[in-house]
PDB file of all heavy atoms in Angstrom:
ATOM      1  N   GLY A1263     186.590  65.693  21.688  1.00  0.00           N
ATOM      2  CA  GLY A1263     185.672  65.460  20.587  1.00  0.00           C
ATOM      3  C   GLY A1263     184.302  66.063  20.864  1.00  0.00           C
ATOM      4  O   GLY A1263     183.977  66.471  21.991  1.00  0.00           O
ATOM      5  N   GLN A1264     183.493  66.133  19.824  1.00  0.00           N
ATOM      6  CA  GLN A1264     182.181  66.774  19.898  1.00  0.00           C
ATOM      7  C   GLN A1264     181.037  65.817  19.622  1.00  0.00           C
ATOM      8  O   GLN A1264     179.888  66.130  19.934  1.00  0.00           O
ATOM      9  CB  GLN A1264     182.105  67.926  18.891  1.00  0.00           C
ATOM     10  CG  GLN A1264     183.100  69.038  19.171  1.00  0.00           C
ATOM     11  CD  GLN A1264     182.825  69.778  20.452  1.00  0.00           C
ATOM     12  OE1 GLN A1264     181.673  70.145  20.739  1.00  0.00           O
ATOM     13  NE2 GLN A1264     183.849  69.970  21.265  1.00  0.00           N
ATOM     14  N   ARG A1265     181.301  64.659  19.030  1.00  0.00           N
ATOM     15  CA  ARG A1265     180.220  63.789  18.570  1.00  0.00           C
ATOM     16  C   ARG A1265     180.455  62.345  19.010  1.00  0.00           C
ATOM     17  O   ARG A1265     181.568  61.840  18.951  1.00  0.00           O
ATOM     18  CB  ARG A1265     180.123  63.849  17.039  1.00  0.00           C
ATOM     19  CG  ARG A1265     179.056  62.902  16.468  1.00  0.00           C
ATOM     20  CD  ARG A1265     179.026  62.974  14.964  1.00  0.00           C
ATOM     21  NE  ARG A1265     178.577  64.255  14.479  1.00  0.00           N
ATOM     22  CZ  ARG A1265     178.440  64.555  13.195  1.00  0.00           C
ATOM     23  NH1 ARG A1265     178.778  63.665  12.277  1.00  0.00           N
ATOM     24  NH2 ARG A1265     178.005  65.745  12.829  1.00  0.00           N
ATOM     25  N   ILE A1266     179.379  61.709  19.453  1.00  0.00           N
ATOM     26  CA  ILE A1266     179.382  60.290  19.783  1.00  0.00           C
ATOM     27  C   ILE A1266     178.383  59.604  18.864  1.00  0.00           C
ATOM     28  O   ILE A1266     177.237  60.030  18.771  1.00  0.00           O
ATOM     29  CB  ILE A1266     178.955  60.055  21.250  1.00  0.00           C
ATOM     30  CG1 ILE A1266     179.884  60.808  22.205  1.00  0.00           C
ATOM     31  CG2 ILE A1266     178.942  58.571  21.572  1.00  0.00           C
ATOM     32  CD1 ILE A1266     179.363  60.866  23.628  1.00  0.00           C
ATOM     33  N   ILE A1298     172.965  59.683  35.946  1.00  0.00           N
ATOM     34  CA  ILE A1298     173.741  58.457  35.843  1.00  0.00           C
ATOM     35  C   ILE A1298     173.511  57.619  37.106  1.00  0.00           C
ATOM     36  O   ILE A1298     173.513  58.156  38.220  1.00  0.00           O
ATOM     37  CB  ILE A1298     175.232  58.789  35.680  1.00  0.00           C
ATOM     38  CG1 ILE A1298     175.484  59.368  34.277  1.00  0.00           C
ATOM     39  CG2 ILE A1298     176.101  57.537  35.891  1.00  0.00           C
ATOM     40  CD1 ILE A1298     176.915  59.827  34.058  1.00  0.00           C
ATOM     41  N   GLN A1333     178.549  63.979  42.616  1.00  0.00           N
ATOM     42  CA  GLN A1333     178.990  64.587  41.361  1.00  0.00           C
ATOM     43  C   GLN A1333     180.221  63.843  40.873  1.00  0.00           C
ATOM     44  O   GLN A1333     181.172  63.641  41.645  1.00  0.00           O
ATOM     45  CB  GLN A1333     179.313  66.066  41.572  1.00  0.00           C
ATOM     46  CG  GLN A1333     178.108  66.936  41.920  1.00  0.00           C
ATOM     47  CD  GLN A1333     177.110  67.039  40.786  1.00  0.00           C
ATOM     48  OE1 GLN A1333     175.934  66.654  40.956  1.00  0.00           O
ATOM     49  NE2 GLN A1333     177.542  67.522  39.646  1.00  0.00           N
ATOM     50  N   LEU A1334     180.207  63.422  39.623  1.00  0.00           N
ATOM     51  CA  LEU A1334     181.337  62.754  39.010  1.00  0.00           C
ATOM     52  C   LEU A1334     182.251  63.808  38.372  1.00  0.00           C
ATOM     53  O   LEU A1334     181.771  64.706  37.662  1.00  0.00           O
ATOM     54  CB  LEU A1334     180.881  61.772  37.947  1.00  0.00           C
ATOM     55  CG  LEU A1334     179.895  60.699  38.443  1.00  0.00           C
ATOM     56  CD1 LEU A1334     179.397  59.869  37.265  1.00  0.00           C
ATOM     57  CD2 LEU A1334     180.543  59.801  39.494  1.00  0.00           C
ATOM     58  N   SER A1335     183.526  63.687  38.601  1.00  0.00           N
ATOM     59  CA  SER A1335     184.453  64.679  38.059  1.00  0.00           C
ATOM     60  C   SER A1335     184.437  64.689  36.540  1.00  0.00           C
ATOM     61  O   SER A1335     184.443  65.742  35.907  1.00  0.00           O
ATOM     62  CB  SER A1335     185.885  64.402  38.567  1.00  0.00           C
ATOM     63  OG  SER A1335     185.968  64.514  39.963  1.00  0.00           O
ATOM     64  N   SER A1336     184.430  63.483  35.937  1.00  0.00           N
ATOM     65  CA  SER A1336     184.412  63.408  34.457  1.00  0.00           C
ATOM     66  C   SER A1336     183.740  62.125  34.018  1.00  0.00           C
ATOM     67  O   SER A1336     183.801  61.102  34.696  1.00  0.00           O
ATOM     68  CB  SER A1336     185.841  63.458  33.913  1.00  0.00           C
ATOM     69  OG  SER A1336     186.573  62.326  34.310  1.00  0.00           O
ATOM     70  N   VAL A1337     183.061  62.226  32.873  1.00  0.00           N
ATOM     71  CA  VAL A1337     182.417  61.085  32.226  1.00  0.00           C
ATOM     72  C   VAL A1337     182.803  61.135  30.763  1.00  0.00           C
ATOM     73  O   VAL A1337     182.682  62.164  30.101  1.00  0.00           O
ATOM     74  CB  VAL A1337     180.888  61.126  32.374  1.00  0.00           C
ATOM     75  CG1 VAL A1337     180.260  59.920  31.647  1.00  0.00           C
ATOM     76  CG2 VAL A1337     180.498  61.102  33.853  1.00  0.00           C
ATOM     77  N   VAL A1342     184.701  61.945  23.577  1.00  0.00           N
ATOM     78  CA  VAL A1342     183.954  63.071  24.143  1.00  0.00           C
ATOM     79  C   VAL A1342     183.942  62.949  25.658  1.00  0.00           C
ATOM     80  O   VAL A1342     183.546  61.896  26.201  1.00  0.00           O
ATOM     81  CB  VAL A1342     182.534  63.140  23.596  1.00  0.00           C
ATOM     82  CG1 VAL A1342     181.781  64.350  24.161  1.00  0.00           C
ATOM     83  CG2 VAL A1342     182.562  63.209  22.070  1.00  0.00           C
ATOM     84  N   GLN A1343     184.306  64.012  26.332  1.00  0.00           N
ATOM     85  CA  GLN A1343     184.355  63.999  27.799  1.00  0.00           C
ATOM     86  C   GLN A1343     183.615  65.221  28.328  1.00  0.00           C
ATOM     87  O   GLN A1343     183.768  66.337  27.804  1.00  0.00           O
ATOM     88  CB  GLN A1343     185.813  64.029  28.271  1.00  0.00           C
ATOM     89  CG  GLN A1343     185.983  63.904  29.767  1.00  0.00           C
ATOM     90  CD  GLN A1343     187.379  63.475  30.144  1.00  0.00           C
ATOM     91  OE1 GLN A1343     187.638  62.313  30.441  1.00  0.00           O
ATOM     92  NE2 GLN A1343     188.327  64.405  30.120  1.00  0.00           N
ATOM     93  N   VAL A1344     182.800  65.021  29.357  1.00  0.00           N
ATOM     94  CA  VAL A1344     182.119  66.113  30.040  1.00  0.00           C
ATOM     95  C   VAL A1344     182.465  66.038  31.516  1.00  0.00           C
ATOM     96  O   VAL A1344     182.899  64.993  32.027  1.00  0.00           O
ATOM     97  CB  VAL A1344     180.598  66.088  29.823  1.00  0.00           C
ATOM     98  CG1 VAL A1344     180.243  66.242  28.355  1.00  0.00           C
ATOM     99  CG2 VAL A1344     179.984  64.785  30.357  1.00  0.00           C
ATOM    100  N   TYR A1345     182.252  67.149  32.204  1.00  0.00           N
ATOM    101  CA  TYR A1345     182.736  67.272  33.579  1.00  0.00           C
ATOM    102  C   TYR A1345     181.597  67.614  34.535  1.00  0.00           C
ATOM    103  O   TYR A1345     180.584  68.195  34.124  1.00  0.00           O
ATOM    104  CB  TYR A1345     183.823  68.344  33.654  1.00  0.00           C
ATOM    105  CG  TYR A1345     184.999  68.055  32.763  1.00  0.00           C
ATOM    106  CD1 TYR A1345     185.060  68.548  31.458  1.00  0.00           C
ATOM    107  CD2 TYR A1345     186.060  67.249  33.207  1.00  0.00           C
ATOM    108  CE1 TYR A1345     186.137  68.264  30.624  1.00  0.00           C
ATOM    109  CE2 TYR A1345     187.138  66.946  32.389  1.00  0.00           C
ATOM    110  CZ  TYR A1345     187.171  67.467  31.091  1.00  0.00           C
ATOM    111  OH  TYR A1345     188.235  67.169  30.271  1.00  0.00           O
ATOM    112  N   ASP A1346     181.801  67.274  35.822  1.00  0.00           N
ATOM    113  CA  ASP A1346     180.875  67.631  36.892  1.00  0.00           C
ATOM    114  C   ASP A1346     179.474  67.136  36.559  1.00  0.00           C
ATOM    115  O   ASP A1346     178.542  67.919  36.334  1.00  0.00           O
ATOM    116  CB  ASP A1346     180.891  69.142  37.109  1.00  0.00           C
ATOM    117  CG  ASP A1346     180.223  69.521  38.441  1.00  0.00           C
ATOM    118  OD1 ASP A1346     180.213  68.688  39.359  1.00  0.00           O
ATOM    119  OD2 ASP A1346     179.716  70.650  38.533  1.00  0.00           O
ATOM    120  N   VAL A1347     179.304  65.823  36.539  1.00  0.00           N
ATOM    121  CA  VAL A1347     178.048  65.188  36.110  1.00  0.00           C
ATOM    122  C   VAL A1347     177.376  64.529  37.317  1.00  0.00           C
ATOM    123  O   VAL A1347     178.012  63.791  38.067  1.00  0.00           O
ATOM    124  CB  VAL A1347     178.320  64.129  35.019  1.00  0.00           C
ATOM    125  CG1 VAL A1347     177.008  63.552  34.503  1.00  0.00           C
ATOM    126  CG2 VAL A1347     179.125  64.713  33.878  1.00  0.00           C
ATOM    127  N   ALA A1348     176.081  64.816  37.495  1.00  0.00           N
ATOM    128  CA  ALA A1348     175.342  64.254  38.631  1.00  0.00           C
ATOM    129  C   ALA A1348     175.119  62.755  38.436  1.00  0.00           C
ATOM    130  O   ALA A1348     174.899  62.257  37.340  1.00  0.00           O
ATOM    131  CB  ALA A1348     173.996  64.956  38.778  1.00  0.00           C
ATOM    132  N   ALA A1349     175.163  62.035  39.577  1.00  0.00           N
ATOM    133  CA  ALA A1349     174.950  60.589  39.558  1.00  0.00           C
ATOM    134  C   ALA A1349     174.344  60.157  40.888  1.00  0.00           C
ATOM    135  O   ALA A1349     174.389  60.909  41.879  1.00  0.00           O
ATOM    136  CB  ALA A1349     176.266  59.850  39.336  1.00  0.00           C
ATOM    137  N   GLY A1362     172.376  58.176  32.208  1.00  0.00           N
ATOM    138  CA  GLY A1362     171.120  58.931  32.254  1.00  0.00           C
ATOM    139  C   GLY A1362     171.242  60.346  31.735  1.00  0.00           C
ATOM    140  O   GLY A1362     172.251  60.750  31.159  1.00  0.00           O
ATOM    141  N   ASN A1363     170.188  61.124  32.005  1.00  0.00           N
ATOM    142  CA  ASN A1363     170.066  62.424  31.390  1.00  0.00           C
ATOM    143  C   ASN A1363     170.996  63.508  31.935  1.00  0.00           C
ATOM    144  O   ASN A1363     171.174  64.530  31.273  1.00  0.00           O
ATOM    145  CB  ASN A1363     168.614  62.899  31.485  1.00  0.00           C
ATOM    146  CG  ASN A1363     167.695  62.132  30.555  1.00  0.00           C
ATOM    147  OD1 ASN A1363     168.065  61.837  29.418  1.00  0.00           O
ATOM    148  ND2 ASN A1363     166.521  61.761  31.024  1.00  0.00           N
ATOM    149  N   SER A1364     171.605  63.282  33.073  1.00  0.00           N
ATOM    150  CA  SER A1364     172.601  64.276  33.526  1.00  0.00           C
ATOM    151  C   SER A1364     173.792  64.300  32.573  1.00  0.00           C
ATOM    152  O   SER A1364     174.489  65.316  32.475  1.00  0.00           O
ATOM    153  CB  SER A1364     173.060  63.980  34.956  1.00  0.00           C
ATOM    154  OG  SER A1364     173.610  62.673  35.050  1.00  0.00           O
ATOM    155  N   PHE A1365     174.005  63.212  31.835  1.00  0.00           N
ATOM    156  CA  PHE A1365     175.014  63.201  30.763  1.00  0.00           C
ATOM    157  C   PHE A1365     174.362  63.504  29.421  1.00  0.00           C
ATOM    158  O   PHE A1365     174.848  64.346  28.663  1.00  0.00           O
ATOM    159  CB  PHE A1365     175.660  61.830  30.706  1.00  0.00           C
ATOM    160  CG  PHE A1365     176.678  61.654  29.596  1.00  0.00           C
ATOM    161  CD1 PHE A1365     178.001  62.036  29.790  1.00  0.00           C
ATOM    162  CD2 PHE A1365     176.338  61.094  28.381  1.00  0.00           C
ATOM    163  CE1 PHE A1365     178.942  61.887  28.769  1.00  0.00           C
ATOM    164  CE2 PHE A1365     177.256  60.947  27.370  1.00  0.00           C
ATOM    165  CZ  PHE A1365     178.567  61.341  27.576  1.00  0.00           C
ATOM    166  N   LEU A1366     173.244  62.858  29.124  1.00  0.00           N
ATOM    167  CA  LEU A1366     172.655  62.936  27.793  1.00  0.00           C
ATOM    168  C   LEU A1366     172.184  64.348  27.430  1.00  0.00           C
ATOM    169  O   LEU A1366     172.241  64.748  26.252  1.00  0.00           O
ATOM    170  CB  LEU A1366     171.497  61.949  27.652  1.00  0.00           C
ATOM    171  CG  LEU A1366     171.857  60.477  27.836  1.00  0.00           C
ATOM    172  CD1 LEU A1366     170.591  59.620  27.851  1.00  0.00           C
ATOM    173  CD2 LEU A1366     172.815  60.004  26.751  1.00  0.00           C
ATOM    174  N   THR A1367     171.713  65.114  28.418  1.00  0.00           N
ATOM    175  CA  THR A1367     171.203  66.459  28.119  1.00  0.00           C
ATOM    176  C   THR A1367     172.326  67.451  27.786  1.00  0.00           C
ATOM    177  O   THR A1367     172.052  68.578  27.388  1.00  0.00           O
ATOM    178  CB  THR A1367     170.370  67.011  29.276  1.00  0.00           C
ATOM    179  OG1 THR A1367     171.142  66.950  30.478  1.00  0.00           O
ATOM    180  CG2 THR A1367     169.092  66.231  29.435  1.00  0.00           C
ATOM    181  N   ARG A1368     173.554  67.014  27.909  1.00  0.00           N
ATOM    182  CA  ARG A1368     174.678  67.847  27.462  1.00  0.00           C
ATOM    183  C   ARG A1368     174.824  67.791  25.928  1.00  0.00           C
ATOM    184  O   ARG A1368     175.696  68.460  25.359  1.00  0.00           O
ATOM    185  CB  ARG A1368     176.002  67.378  28.097  1.00  0.00           C
ATOM    186  CG  ARG A1368     175.995  67.286  29.621  1.00  0.00           C
ATOM    187  CD  ARG A1368     176.156  68.602  30.292  1.00  0.00           C
ATOM    188  NE  ARG A1368     176.299  68.441  31.744  1.00  0.00           N
ATOM    189  CZ  ARG A1368     177.461  68.408  32.394  1.00  0.00           C
ATOM    190  NH1 ARG A1368     178.592  68.536  31.724  1.00  0.00           N
ATOM    191  NH2 ARG A1368     177.493  68.264  33.712  1.00  0.00           N
ATOM    192  N   PHE A1369     174.006  66.952  25.306  1.00  0.00           N
ATOM    193  CA  PHE A1369     174.127  66.723  23.861  1.00  0.00           C
ATOM    194  C   PHE A1369     172.797  66.921  23.163  1.00  0.00           C
ATOM    195  O   PHE A1369     171.728  66.827  23.742  1.00  0.00           O
ATOM    196  CB  PHE A1369     174.572  65.258  23.625  1.00  0.00           C
ATOM    197  CG  PHE A1369     175.909  64.925  24.234  1.00  0.00           C
ATOM    198  CD1 PHE A1369     175.986  64.533  25.558  1.00  0.00           C
ATOM    199  CD2 PHE A1369     177.070  65.012  23.495  1.00  0.00           C
ATOM    200  CE1 PHE A1369     177.211  64.236  26.140  1.00  0.00           C
ATOM    201  CE2 PHE A1369     178.300  64.712  24.053  1.00  0.00           C
ATOM    202  CZ  PHE A1369     178.367  64.321  25.396  1.00  0.00           C
ATOM    203  N   GLN A1370     172.875  67.215  21.857  1.00  0.00           N
ATOM    204  CA  GLN A1370     171.737  67.146  20.970  1.00  0.00           C
ATOM    205  C   GLN A1370     171.635  65.712  20.466  1.00  0.00           C
ATOM    206  O   GLN A1370     172.593  65.185  19.874  1.00  0.00           O
ATOM    207  CB  GLN A1370     171.912  68.112  19.795  1.00  0.00           C
ATOM    208  CG  GLN A1370     170.719  68.205  18.858  1.00  0.00           C
ATOM    209  CD  GLN A1370     169.528  68.872  19.488  1.00  0.00           C
ATOM    210  OE1 GLN A1370     169.673  69.814  20.245  1.00  0.00           O
ATOM    211  NE2 GLN A1370     168.344  68.366  19.211  1.00  0.00           N
ATOM    212  N   MET A1371     170.520  65.058  20.730  1.00  0.00           N
ATOM    213  CA  MET A1371     170.410  63.652  20.425  1.00  0.00           C
ATOM    214  C   MET A1371     169.563  63.424  19.167  1.00  0.00           C
ATOM    215  O   MET A1371     168.494  64.000  19.015  1.00  0.00           O
ATOM    216  CB  MET A1371     169.772  62.903  21.619  1.00  0.00           C
ATOM    217  CG  MET A1371     169.667  61.413  21.439  1.00  0.00           C
ATOM    218  SD  MET A1371     168.687  60.607  22.767  1.00  0.00           S
ATOM    219  CE  MET A1371     169.649  61.114  24.205  1.00  0.00           C
ATOM    220  N   LEU A1380     175.018  61.645  19.294  1.00  0.00           N
ATOM    221  CA  LEU A1380     175.018  62.651  20.337  1.00  0.00           C
ATOM    222  C   LEU A1380     176.004  63.735  19.943  1.00  0.00           C
ATOM    223  O   LEU A1380     177.208  63.477  19.811  1.00  0.00           O
ATOM    224  CB  LEU A1380     175.406  62.047  21.678  1.00  0.00           C
ATOM    225  CG  LEU A1380     174.527  60.908  22.210  1.00  0.00           C
ATOM    226  CD1 LEU A1380     175.130  60.298  23.474  1.00  0.00           C
ATOM    227  CD2 LEU A1380     173.130  61.389  22.478  1.00  0.00           C
ATOM    228  N   GLU A1381     175.497  64.955  19.715  1.00  0.00           N
ATOM    229  CA  GLU A1381     176.331  66.081  19.308  1.00  0.00           C
ATOM    230  C   GLU A1381     176.425  67.027  20.500  1.00  0.00           C
ATOM    231  O   GLU A1381     175.415  67.506  21.026  1.00  0.00           O
ATOM    232  CB  GLU A1381     175.714  66.798  18.117  1.00  0.00           C
ATOM    233  CG  GLU A1381     176.607  67.850  17.495  1.00  0.00           C
ATOM    234  CD  GLU A1381     177.595  67.255  16.506  1.00  0.00           C
ATOM    235  OE1 GLU A1381     177.251  66.216  15.854  1.00  0.00           O
ATOM    236  OE2 GLU A1381     178.696  67.804  16.379  1.00  0.00           O
ATOM    237  N   LYS A1382     177.660  67.325  20.937  1.00  0.00           N
ATOM    238  CA  LYS A1382     177.846  68.150  22.126  1.00  0.00           C
ATOM    239  C   LYS A1382     177.269  69.535  21.905  1.00  0.00           C
ATOM    240  O   LYS A1382     177.471  70.147  20.865  1.00  0.00           O
ATOM    241  CB  LYS A1382     179.344  68.235  22.450  1.00  0.00           C
ATOM    242  CG  LYS A1382     179.655  68.587  23.889  1.00  0.00           C
ATOM    243  CD  LYS A1382     181.145  68.405  24.158  1.00  0.00           C
ATOM    244  CE  LYS A1382     181.475  68.650  25.597  1.00  0.00           C
ATOM    245  NZ  LYS A1382     182.925  68.488  25.848  1.00  0.00           N
ATOM    246  N   ARG A1383     176.509  70.018  22.901  1.00  0.00           N
ATOM    247  CA  ARG A1383     175.891  71.342  22.804  1.00  0.00           C
ATOM    248  C   ARG A1383     176.944  72.438  22.956  1.00  0.00           C
ATOM    249  O   ARG A1383     177.886  72.292  23.675  1.00  0.00           O
ATOM    250  CB  ARG A1383     174.827  71.516  23.904  1.00  0.00           C
ATOM    251  CG  ARG A1383     173.650  70.568  23.741  1.00  0.00           C
ATOM    252  CD  ARG A1383     172.594  70.840  24.787  1.00  0.00           C
ATOM    253  NE  ARG A1383     171.501  69.881  24.766  1.00  0.00           N
ATOM    254  CZ  ARG A1383     170.424  69.969  23.974  1.00  0.00           C
ATOM    255  NH1 ARG A1383     170.314  71.005  23.142  1.00  0.00           N
ATOM    256  NH2 ARG A1383     169.480  69.064  24.012  1.00  0.00           N
TER     257      ARG A1383
END
Side-chain angles (χ1 to χ4, degrees):
Q1264 298 293 313
R1265 177 182 293 181
I1266 302 167
I1298 290 175
Q1333 294 293 121
L1334 303 174
S1335 297
S1336 65
V1337 178
V1342 182
Q1343 185 161 258
V1344 298
Y1345 302 92
D1346 195 27
V1347 185
N1363 287 320
S1364 57
F1365 178 86
L1366 298 174
T1367 54
R1368 306 281 187 97
F1369 299 85
Q1370 184 69 38
M1371 183 188 302
L1380 301 174
E1381 189 84 31
K1382 203 170 184 181
R1383 295 184 186 274

